[in-house]
Amino acid sequence: MAFRIGLGFDSHEFQEGKPLYLGGIHIEHHAGFKGHSDGDLLLHAITDALLSAIGEPDMGELFPDQEARWKDAPSEIFLREALRRMKEKGYRIINLDCVLVMDSPKISPIKDVIIENLSNIMQISKSAISIKGKRREGFCLERGAVCYCVVLLSHEG
Amino acid sequence: MAFRIGLGFDSHEFQEGKPLYLGGIHIEHHAGFKGHSDGDLLLHAITDALLSAIGEPDMGELFPDQEARWKDAPSEIFLREALRRMKEKGYRIINLDCVLVMDSPKISPIKDVIIENLSNIMQISKSAISIKGKRREGFCLERGAVCYCVVLLSHEG
Amino acid sequence: MAFRIGLGFDSHEFQEGKPLYLGGIHIEHHAGFKGHSDGDLLLHAITDALLSAIGEPDMGELFPDQEARWKDAPSEIFLREALRRMKEKGYRIINLDCVLVMDSPKISPIKDVIIENLSNIMQISKSAISIKGKRREGFCLERGAVCYCVVLLSHEG
Ligand SMILES: [Mg+2]
Ligand SMILES: [Mg+2]
Ligand SMILES: [Mg+2]
């Protein structure tokens, strides 16, 4: 059995009036995330953690934000491509843990629906997915949010 | 043998005159950490890393800061509950590594006493616990400090 | 087989006119990183992640920045000492994953040459080393850059 660790990081500024997406779920909120795609920093951090863990190019390299076809793209596309490459290389997810640092919206009430969605996309048990929200409290994020993600993968043989 | 990874994050603003607690140890300092509990961000980050790794609700969910009974609570209570749940699920800690980003107090001189205390609480070898301090140097934490923690757990069978 | 996880963090402010080093490679840029040594935050984060994972003192303790002999020192020295201690304790690197948060220079074009260099220094396959760059986008780093690194180690027997 072989193992791999991966680290994902993403940050985005809020943009008034843009729809907010977190973990592939549309959340009612007065602001979404700036960015070429839908700005779903949770999916971006998970995608990058997976790609890194298996030694593939990162999200910015695979899906350049200069390319028109990724304009407002649903970030699930990026995650599914990372999962495809992961399976191709024979890896599977043991578990992943994500921290979203943002003052609002609160993560706790929307956590279950996000984990359910990720569980469906990633085809892993909900118990292998953890997401938690933290308020900024002294951590300086001007007008934005940040997401950290660690993943642990295994490989048979 | 099964494995699990966890990621903890916490940040708190300094508050003049409040007692400072780090890793369960009272440190002589002109300021402590704002917060409903004793503000011990090192214990909070470790607690959340453990809870996430085993798929339990996070610290904010288990110990809501609106509840009066957690006012000024010693954070060791939170860590002990995470450890209880971890053992109940059959996991044990392989090792954990924490980074405290703060300009003062310096972590190096108080590291050994903190690790000794954590080793007693967690009932693991001191060599399985790592803590390091980093100065802010360009990392923007207005009036506060931040702690990151990664944990690796194993499960027999 | 025994395992260990490690977490590295480093941040540095930019300093106009100082040579820029990243992963041991000199990069043409108008600014480098402030600091007693060459300011190579990527090597510093990797070094600290390795030292922590094996339970050794951190970089700041092994190479105090008050000591004149580390003035402008090439940070490869620090990494090589961490690797020496790691081998002495019987550990080997499974893989490592690093995130550099900085607006410029762009990491993608210089990634390959950095990974090649790290692969030579660390004597591990390039596929076991991941580096990605992220722009600040709402993540507040006044005039600096930050690097995060996770490592996974194994130990025979
Ligand atoms: Mg993004
Ligand atoms: Mg806290
Ligand atoms: Mg440094």
Side-chain angles (χ1 to χ4, degrees):
Chain A
M1 183 92 98
F3 297 93
R4 283 281 179 152
I5 193 173
L7 174 66
F9 170 96
D10 198 26
S11 59
H12 280 267
E13 287 186 57
F14 279 109
Q15 180 180 320
E16 283 299 322
K18 194 173 168 182
L20 175 66
Y21 287 93
L22 281 174
I25 300 292
H26 176 243
I27 313 286
E28 285 300 330
H29 198 58
H30 62 89
F33 291 118
K34 249 187 227 177
H36 194 68
S37 71
D38 62 10
D40 191 330
L41 78 173
L42 176 55
L43 292 191
H44 297 178
I46 296 173
T47 301
D48 258 346
L50 293 174
L51 289 169
S52 299
I54 60 172
E56 291 286 304
D58 65 43
M59 225 191 85
E61 292 168 329
L62 293 180
F63 311 100
D65 59 8
Q66 298 90 330
E67 287 186 21
R69 62 180 164 151
W70 310 124
K71 176 96 180 77
D72 294 324
S75 299
E76 194 181 314
I77 295 174
F78 312 143
L79 176 55
R80 286 197 183 274
E81 175 62 15
L83 292 166
R84 195 190 62 75
R85 289 176 185 238
M86 184 187 77
K87 273 170 210 153
E88 207 172 74
K89 287 198 163 172
Y91 285 96
R92 65 170 202 88
I93 297 168
I94 296 179
N95 79 302
L96 72 157
D97 188 7
C98 308
V99 183
L100 279 161
V101 189
M102 53 202 293
D103 280 346
S104 69
K106 294 268 164 285
I107 301 305
S108 196
I110 57 178
K111 188 193 269 202
D112 285 352
V113 80
I114 292 176
I115 290 178
E116 176 94 40
N117 190 48
L118 292 175
S119 164
N120 287 332
I121 298 172
M122 308 177 91
Q123 292 289 298
I124 56 174
S125 152
K126 288 190 278 185
S127 69
I129 305 168
S130 165
I131 297 166
K132 56 191 166 288
K134 294 294 293 178
R135 283 190 304 259
R136 293 191 305 125
E137 299 190 59
F139 190 67
C140 183
L141 298 164
E142 291 155 326
R143 299 159 299 274
V146 64
C147 183
Y148 297 94
C149 172
V150 293
V151 299
L152 189 61
L153 309 183
S154 66
H155 191 288
E156 291 302 329
Chain B
M1 183 93 97
F3 297 93
R4 284 281 179 151
I5 193 174
L7 174 65
F9 170 95
D10 199 27
S11 60
H12 281 266
E13 287 186 58
F14 279 110
Q15 179 180 322
E16 283 299 322
K18 196 175 168 181
L20 175 66
Y21 287 93
L22 281 174
I25 300 291
H26 176 244
I27 313 287
E28 285 300 329
H29 199 57
H30 61 88
F33 290 118
K34 248 187 227 180
H36 194 67
S37 71
D38 62 9
D40 191 330
L41 79 174
L42 176 54
L43 291 191
H44 297 177
I46 296 173
T47 301
D48 258 346
L50 293 174
L51 289 169
S52 299
I54 60 171
E56 291 286 305
D58 64 43
M59 225 190 83
E61 292 168 329
L62 292 180
F63 310 100
D65 59 9
Q66 297 89 329
E67 287 187 18
R69 61 180 165 151
W70 310 124
K71 177 96 179 79
D72 294 323
S75 299
E76 194 180 313
I77 294 174
F78 311 143
L79 176 55
R80 286 196 183 273
E81 175 61 15
L83 292 166
R84 194 191 63 75
R85 288 175 186 238
M86 184 188 77
K87 273 171 212 154
E88 204 172 75
K89 286 197 164 173
Y91 285 96
R92 67 170 200 86
I93 297 168
I94 296 178
N95 78 303
L96 73 157
D97 188 8
C98 308
V99 182
L100 279 161
V101 189
M102 53 202 293
D103 280 346
S104 68
K106 294 268 164 284
I107 301 305
S108 197
I110 57 178
K111 190 193 269 201
D112 284 351
V113 80
I114 292 175
I115 290 178
E116 175 95 38
N117 190 48
L118 292 175
S119 165
N120 288 332
I121 298 172
M122 308 177 91
Q123 292 288 301
I124 56 174
S125 152
K126 287 190 278 184
S127 68
I129 305 167
S130 165
I131 298 166
K132 55 190 167 291
K134 294 293 295 179
R135 285 190 302 259
R136 292 191 305 124
E137 299 190 60
F139 190 68
C140 183
L141 298 164
E142 293 155 326
R143 299 161 299 273
V146 63
C147 183
Y148 298 94
C149 172
V150 293
V151 298
L152 189 61
L153 308 184
S154 67
H155 191 288
E156 290 303 329
Chain C
M1 183 93 97
F3 297 93
R4 282 283 179 152
I5 193 173
L7 173 66
F9 169 96
D10 199 27
S11 60
H12 281 266
E13 287 185 58
F14 280 109
Q15 179 180 323
E16 283 299 323
K18 194 173 168 181
L20 175 66
Y21 287 93
L22 281 174
I25 300 292
H26 177 244
I27 314 286
E28 284 300 329
H29 199 58
H30 61 90
F33 290 117
K34 247 186 228 181
H36 194 67
S37 71
D38 62 10
D40 191 329
L41 79 174
L42 176 54
L43 292 191
H44 297 177
I46 296 172
T47 301
D48 258 346
L50 293 174
L51 289 169
S52 299
I54 61 171
E56 291 286 304
D58 65 42
M59 225 190 85
E61 292 169 329
L62 292 180
F63 310 100
D65 59 9
Q66 298 89 329
E67 287 188 19
R69 60 181 166 151
W70 309 123
K71 177 96 180 78
D72 294 321
S75 299
E76 195 181 313
I77 294 174
F78 312 142
L79 176 55
R80 287 196 183 274
E81 174 62 13
L83 292 166
R84 194 190 63 75
R85 288 174 186 240
M86 185 187 77
K87 274 171 211 153
E88 206 171 75
K89 286 196 165 174
Y91 285 97
R92 66 170 201 86
I93 297 169
I94 296 178
N95 79 302
L96 72 157
D97 188 5
C98 308
V99 182
L100 279 161
V101 189
M102 54 202 292
D103 280 347
S104 69
K106 294 268 165 281
I107 301 305
S108 197
I110 57 178
K111 190 192 267 202
D112 285 352
V113 80
I114 292 175
I115 290 178
E116 175 94 39
N117 189 48
L118 292 175
S119 165
N120 288 333
I121 298 172
M122 308 176 91
Q123 292 289 299
I124 56 175
S125 153
K126 288 190 276 185
S127 69
I129 305 168
S130 165
I131 298 167
K132 54 191 168 291
K134 295 293 293 178
R135 284 191 302 260
R136 291 191 305 124
E137 300 191 61
F139 191 68
C140 183
L141 298 163
E142 293 155 328
R143 300 161 298 273
V146 64
C147 183
Y148 297 94
C149 172
V150 292
V151 298
L152 189 61
L153 309 184
S154 66
H155 191 288
E156 292 303 328

